[in-house]
Every structure is written in structure tokens, then in C-alpha cells.
């Protein structure tokens, strides 16, 4: 059933921050109680260690690799190619591999902590295609992104519903980046039978599929649903249910998105340098209020607006609040059009919950949308966020995703009726 215009916005509305809501609940948690952020299937499953000298292994590994280990007094945090709100990493990746030399046809869990694939299901005449693109068979790869939501709801409570989708979008962006480096095309799919898949993959109420990416040759061939259920394995060491998140996911997951024609982006980066960029990508922790050149800024825009390879789509509008770009009037822009001149550094810093990183950035981008399907809009916002990270880092500009802002005040400041989905600060 199509949702009414009010109900499609209900989960955004219900997870808004305001000055008051943040004062009342500043999200303080005891770090010692953080649930585990790596899922590991039992040791009796067969495993394939990923060897970076093998192109297929490298393609898979680079979608999720740990790239830096940081020591804190509470213990080590393993940072990855994909950023994540609060470094809580709710996302997991499953990969169906069919007719690829050196691999058993099956569904594998990508065990990020140990850089290996765990074979959790062997295919016969069945597979994931029947849930995702019925009537077709894919010789190649089907990536499924899921969320072990408690890793994020542990800290961010109901608002983590947003972060599950944004983080999943970033993870899709990491898959797209690895595909680009390894000369593969991918297609993103958002509209498919996620609920049936959650059941058959044995996720219970603790993990849910958010998105899919396919890469390979598509053949007209009927494949049947998985003939066996995969046993349940918990992605955290303990769990507390959040009914709002479970319902929010269930109620939005079968709603169709807008449709568009599939068009692939055509990037032309130096691939060795791009590989280094993916490997070294980090969220910046402070900016020095330095200006970035205008040419770099527009180059970033041009690259970042390349097509998103998907038929399921929601349009994202981009507002940029320019603080320090050489040769540009500071102010609020919609695309290239100046809406309101002025120095809004302090104001945007305040709107993003008094974050100095936003105040001191060269530009803060805000993604808004008039969506039909909220999860798809959030996933695309996260996917674009990953693009901004990689393109800006490639150009020597730093970046950080910003998921925390006062929603209504930001909307009013930008002068839009559209929901503000995500923000990104860039600068030096
Ligand atoms: C959806 C999302 C929201 C984020 N929100 C913020 C934020 O509000 N403030 C901030 O300083 N960093 C934010 N970050 C950056 C994360 O803190 C960062 O990705 C994480 O600590 C891992 O570090 P890394 O990106 O350097 O690997 C966000 C990242 C994502 C993906």
C-alpha cells in the first residue's frame, strides 16, 4: 500500500534532534558496555583467508577492510575503509559468489576482523537472486549489506535508525570504490524482498538487510529461494531490543522507491592514487579555518554529481554553506546558486550541535530530499557521503560526515520544506 505524504516522513519526524532534546538526552554511555562490533560465525564453518595479491580477494577485502587501529583507554578501536557514526559499525556484508573460479558457489559472510570469507551456505539450484531480481541469475557477486542495529542503538537510541541507513549507504560507497579500483561495474538495488531474506538468513529481530549491490553477468535463468534456513548467529555479545527501530525498519522496507534509468558513472581517477585514498581515508577531527581553492571545490562538485548506478532512486538536493572558499562569496548556496550571502560559520556550528569541526570547515554540505521511500533516500545520502569523502581526500581536502544537527532549525536556516538527511563538513 502506498504511504500517505505524512506517514512517509514519520520516522524522520520521530528521530529529530532539537536544542531541548539534546539537553535532555546527550547520549552519554559507559564505553565499557559497548556491544561487540564484529560478527563471527562459529569456527566449524569453512573459511577463505583473503590474500590481497589475488584480484578477487582484494576486490572483496577492500569493501570493508580495517585500515587503522587506534588505542584509547577503553581499548583498541579498529577503523575501517567505511566511516560510521560514532565508529560503532552496525553494518555487516554478505556476498553470494556464483561461477567465479577458485570459489565454491555459495553465500559468504565477510569476517572483517580476520579478513576472511566464511562460507555460510552452499548453493545448488537456489540463491539470493529470487529475492532480489527474480527470473535472473548472476554469474559474479551479490553483496548484501545488513545492520546489527544494537551496535548503534546502544548509544544513539531511536536516532540510530537513521545511522543504520546512512552507514549502509557509506558501505555501498565503499563497495563501489573497490569495484572501481578493480575495474568492475556495480549496480545498487534498494527495492527487493528484504523481509523474506532476513527470515531465511536467520537474522531474527537482531539484524536486518538494508541494501544490495550486484556485480557480474546477468543471465535469464530461474533460481529458487534458499532451500534451507541459515542458523541464527548474533552479531553482538549481548542485545537489548528497540521496538521503534524494529518497527521503523519493517514499516518502510517494502515501500517502492522512485525509478530512474540505470546509468553508470565514468570516473577518471589515477587508480593507484585512488587506492591509496581509499586505504588512507579518515574523518578529520579539526579544521584550521583555511580556505580551499574555488577550482578544487567545483571539481569536487562535478565528480560528486556523476550518476548513481541504480534504477531505484530518490533525488537528493544539496545546499552548501560556504565559509572559506577562495574567490567565492560566503553564504548559503543551492547547487551553484547563491541564496543568501553572509558568514554563517558560527550558525552552522551551532546547528550541528555546537560542533567546532563544522564551525571551522571551509564548506558544510547539507543533503535534503522530498522522498517517497525514506530508507532509499538515506542510503543514497550515505552513498553520496562516501563519494564526498573519497573525492575530497583524493584532492587533499579533509572531510567528516555529520549526522547530528537540530533538524527543524537547520531546515528553517536553509529555507527548505524538505527533510535534512545528512551533513558533511569539508575543509583544511
Ligand atoms: C553517518 C555518520 C555520521 C557521523 N556524524 C558525525 C558527527 O556528527 N560528528 C563527527 O565529528 N563525526 C561524525 N562522523 C564521523 C565518525 O565519527 C567517523 O566515521 C568514525 O569515528 C570512524 O572514523 P574514520 O571515519 O576516521 O574511519 C559520522 C560518520 C557517519 C558515517
Amino acid at each position: 500500500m502506498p504511504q500517505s505524504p505524512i506517514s512517509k516522513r514519520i520516522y524522520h519526524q520521530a528521530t529529530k534532534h532539537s536544542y531541548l532534546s539534546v539537553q535532555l538526552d546527550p547520549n552519554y554511555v559507559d564505553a565499557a558496555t559497548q556491544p561487540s562490533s564484529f560478527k563471527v560465525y562459529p569456527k566449524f564453518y569453512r573459511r577463505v583467508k583473503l590474500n590481497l595479491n589475488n584480484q578477487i580477494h582484494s576486490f572483496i577485502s577492500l569493501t570493508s577492510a580495517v585500515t587503522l587501529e587506534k588505542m584509547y583507554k577503553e581499548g583498541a578501536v579498529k577503523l575501517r575503509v567505511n566511516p560510521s557514526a560514532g565508529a560503532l559499525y552496525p553494518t555487516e556484508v554478505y556476498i553470494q559468489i556464483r561461477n567465479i573460479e577458485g570459489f565454491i558457489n555459495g553465500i559468504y559472510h565477510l569476517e572483517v576482523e580476520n579478513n576472511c570469507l566464511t562460507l555460510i551456505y552452499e548453493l545448488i539450484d537456489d540463491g539470493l537472486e529470487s529475492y532480489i531480481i527474480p527470473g535472473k541469475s548472476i554469474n559474479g557477486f551479490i553483496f548484501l549489506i545488513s545492520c546489527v542495529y544494537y551496535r548503534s542503538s546502544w548509544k544513539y537510541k531511536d536516532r540510530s535508525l537513521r545511522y543504520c541507513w546512512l552507514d549502509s549507504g557509506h558501505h555501498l560507497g565503499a563497495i563501489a570504490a573497490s569495484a572501481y579500483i578493480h575495474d568492475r561495474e556495480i549496480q545498487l538495488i534498494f527495492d527487493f524482498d528484504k523481509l523474506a531474506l532476513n527470515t531465511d538468513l536467520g537474522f531474527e529481530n537482531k539484524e536486518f538487510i538494508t541494501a544490495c549491490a550486484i556485480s557480474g553477468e546477468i543471465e535469464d535463468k530461474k533460481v529458487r529461494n534458499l532451500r534451507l534456513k541459515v542458523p541464527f548467529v548474533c552479531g553482538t555479545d549481548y542485545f537489548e531490543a528497540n521496538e521503534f527501530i524494529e518497527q521503523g525498519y519493517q514499516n518502510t522496507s517494502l515501500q517502492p522507491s522512485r525509478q530512474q534509468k540505470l546509468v553508470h558513472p565514468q570516473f577518471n581517477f589515477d587508480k593507484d592514487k585512488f587506492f591509496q585514498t581509499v586505504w588512507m581515508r579518515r574523518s578529520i577531527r579539526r579544521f584550521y579555518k583555511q580556505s580551499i581553492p574555488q577550482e578544487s571545490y567545483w571539481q569536487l562538485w562535478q565528480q560528486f554529481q556523476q550518476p548513481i548506478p541504480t534504477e531505484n532512486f530518490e533525488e537528493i538536493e544539496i545546499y552548501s554553506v560556504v565559509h572559506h572558499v577562495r574567490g567565492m562569496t560566503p553564504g548559503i548556496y543551492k547547487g551553484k546558486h547563491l541564496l543568501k550571502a553572509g558568514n554563517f560559520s558560527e550558525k552552522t556550528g551551532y546547528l550541528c550541535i555546537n560542533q567546532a569541526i563544522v564551525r571551522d570547515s571551509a564548506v558544510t554540505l547539507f543533503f535534503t530530499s522530498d522522498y517517497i521511500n525514506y530508507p532509499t533516500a538515506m542510503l543514497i545520502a550515505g552513498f553520496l557521503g562516501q563519494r564526498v569523502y573519497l573525492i575530497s581526500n583524493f584532492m587533499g581536502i579533509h572531510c567528516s560526515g555529520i549526522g547530528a544537527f537540530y533538524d527543524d532549525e537547520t531546515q528553517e536556516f536553509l529555507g527548505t520544506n524538505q527533510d535534512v538527511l545528512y551533513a558533511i563538513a569539508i575543509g583544511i
Side-chain angles (χ1 to χ4, degrees):
M1 277 275 288
Q3 291 175 328
S4 73
I6 305 269
S7 68
K8 74 181 183 184
R9 297 173 88 156
I10 186 173
Y11 292 101
H12 193 80
Q13 180 69 30
T15 53
K16 282 182 174 175
H17 275 332
S18 66
Y19 180 77
L20 188 64
S21 76
V22 173
Q23 294 295 311
L24 292 174
D25 183 3
N27 280 333
Y28 293 138
V29 277
D30 175 357
T33 66
Q34 183 180 350
S36 54
S37 54
F38 291 102
K39 180 171 181 177
V40 178
Y41 275 80
K43 61 175 184 288
F44 56 79
Y45 284 95
R46 193 193 296 210
R47 283 170 166 76
V48 181
K49 187 80 190 160
L50 294 173
N51 167 5
L52 294 183
N53 295 320
N54 171 312
Q55 279 296 297
I56 305 275
H57 287 205
S58 166
F59 165 43
I60 292 169
S61 177
L62 201 62
T63 64
S64 311
V66 170
T67 50
L68 183 72
E69 198 163 327
K70 260 190 172 172
M71 287 308 294
Y72 294 98
K73 67 175 188 307
E74 298 84 17
V77 176
K78 292 181 175 172
L79 303 179
R80 315 184 191 185
V81 287
N82 51 308
S84 166
L88 300 176
Y89 304 104
T91 52
E92 292 287 331
V93 176
Y94 298 83
I95 310 163
Q96 177 180 293
I97 304 182
R98 191 191 285 287
N99 295 341
I100 296 288
E101 207 186 318
F103 286 89
I104 292 170
N105 288 348
I107 302 170
Y108 297 79
H109 169 244
L110 179 47
E111 195 174 292
V112 176
E113 188 169 29
N114 303 311
N115 191 34
C116 67
L117 285 177
T118 308
L119 179 60
I120 59 169
Y121 190 93
E122 282 194 47
L123 304 177
I124 301 183
D125 59 344
D126 49 353
L128 298 178
E129 290 92 336
S130 55
Y131 308 81
I132 297 163
I133 40 169
K136 310 276 181 200
S137 168
I138 296 171
N139 294 314
F141 306 89
I142 301 179
F143 291 87
L144 286 178
I145 310 275
S146 73
C147 276
V148 177
Y149 79 78
Y150 181 53
R151 291 181 192 152
S152 185
S153 66
W154 162 73
K155 179 169 184 183
Y156 295 122
K157 317 234 174 61
D158 291 357
R159 192 159 170 113
S160 68
L161 186 57
R162 294 186 183 198
Y163 299 151
C164 282
W165 287 315
L166 289 172
D167 275 12
S168 297
H170 273 280
H171 216 145
L172 283 175
I175 294 173
S178 183
Y180 173 70
I181 289 168
H182 295 89
D183 302 318
R184 293 187 162 272
E185 270 188 346
I186 62 153
Q187 178 183 344
L188 313 180
I189 303 180
F190 302 116
D191 295 355
F192 58 97
D193 195 353
K194 299 169 203 122
L195 299 184
L197 259 178
N198 292 333
T199 305
D200 290 355
L201 291 173
F203 288 165
E204 296 192 344
N205 60 331
K206 300 178 182 63
E207 186 172 343
F208 49 72
I209 302 285
T210 47
C212 171
I214 58 176
S215 177
E217 183 195 307
I218 304 176
E219 201 187 325
D220 284 329
K221 187 173 168 190
K222 213 165 157 28
V223 166
R224 70 175 171 115
N225 276 9
L226 299 184
R227 63 193 192 281
L228 305 169
K229 261 181 86 167
V230 178
F232 168 69
V233 172
C234 194
T236 49
D237 42 356
Y238 78 108
F239 173 77
E240 286 176 273
N242 178 317
E243 217 174 293
F244 171 84
I245 291 187
E246 290 182 20
Q247 278 190 359
Y249 171 78
Q250 295 271 337
N251 292 344
T252 53
S253 56
L254 296 180
Q255 168 78 27
S257 318
R258 287 196 169 85
Q259 301 297 308
Q260 65 166 16
K261 204 167 155 285
L262 177 67
V263 184
H264 290 280
Q266 301 295 333
F267 292 111
N268 194 18
F269 295 112
D270 174 302
K271 289 212 174 163
D272 288 338
K273 187 173 167 199
F274 197 76
F275 173 84
Q276 288 304 323
T277 305
V278 167
W279 200 257
M280 304 300 287
R281 182 213 61 78
R282 283 278 77 82
S283 300
I284 195 70
R285 292 285 154 230
R286 75 170 287 195
F287 290 118
Y288 292 89
K289 298 189 184 180
Q290 289 184 27
S291 293
I292 59 172
Q294 190 173 169
E295 313 79 75
S296 309
Y297 179 58
W298 291 126
Q299 240 175 339
L300 196 155
W301 257 89
Q302 206 185 350
Q303 295 297 337
F304 148 79
Q305 290 199 309
Q306 289 240 15
I308 298 173
T310 177
E311 288 174 342
N312 318 134
F313 192 63
E314 295 294 345
E315 197 73 50
I316 305 287
E317 301 256 25
I318 297 153
Y319 288 81
S320 43
V321 186
V322 170
H323 311 307
H324 308 289
V325 178
R326 266 196 295 285
M328 267 181 88
T329 307
I332 308 173
Y333 289 74
K334 186 174 178 191
K336 292 193 167 184
H337 179 66
L338 178 62
L339 297 178
K340 191 173 174 189
N343 183 342
F344 298 113
S345 308
E346 293 292 336
K347 178 74 180 176
T348 39
Y350 160 76
L351 289 171
C352 297
I353 325 275
N354 285 318
Q355 297 194 65
I357 193 178
V358 175
R359 184 197 60 205
D360 299 342
S361 66
V363 182
T364 305
L365 304 169
F366 289 95
F367 297 172
T368 70
S369 181
D370 181 20
Y371 49 82
I372 298 178
N373 180 300
Y374 184 49
T376 301
M378 292 297 269
L379 287 157
I380 290 178
F383 183 83
L384 287 175
Q386 188 71 6
R387 261 196 192 165
V388 175
Y389 263 96
L390 293 178
I391 298 169
S392 54
N393 281 192
F394 184 88
M395 295 168 62
I397 296 169
H398 302 300
C399 174
S400 179
I402 303 290
F405 43 83
Y406 303 133
D407 288 86
D408 287 342
E409 285 190 72
T410 305
Q411 218 176 340
E412 198 185 315
F413 168 68
L414 298 175
T416 177
N417 291 327
Q418 298 191 353
D419 286 343
V420 182
L421 307 183
Y422 193 28
I424 303 244
I426 61 171
I428 302 178

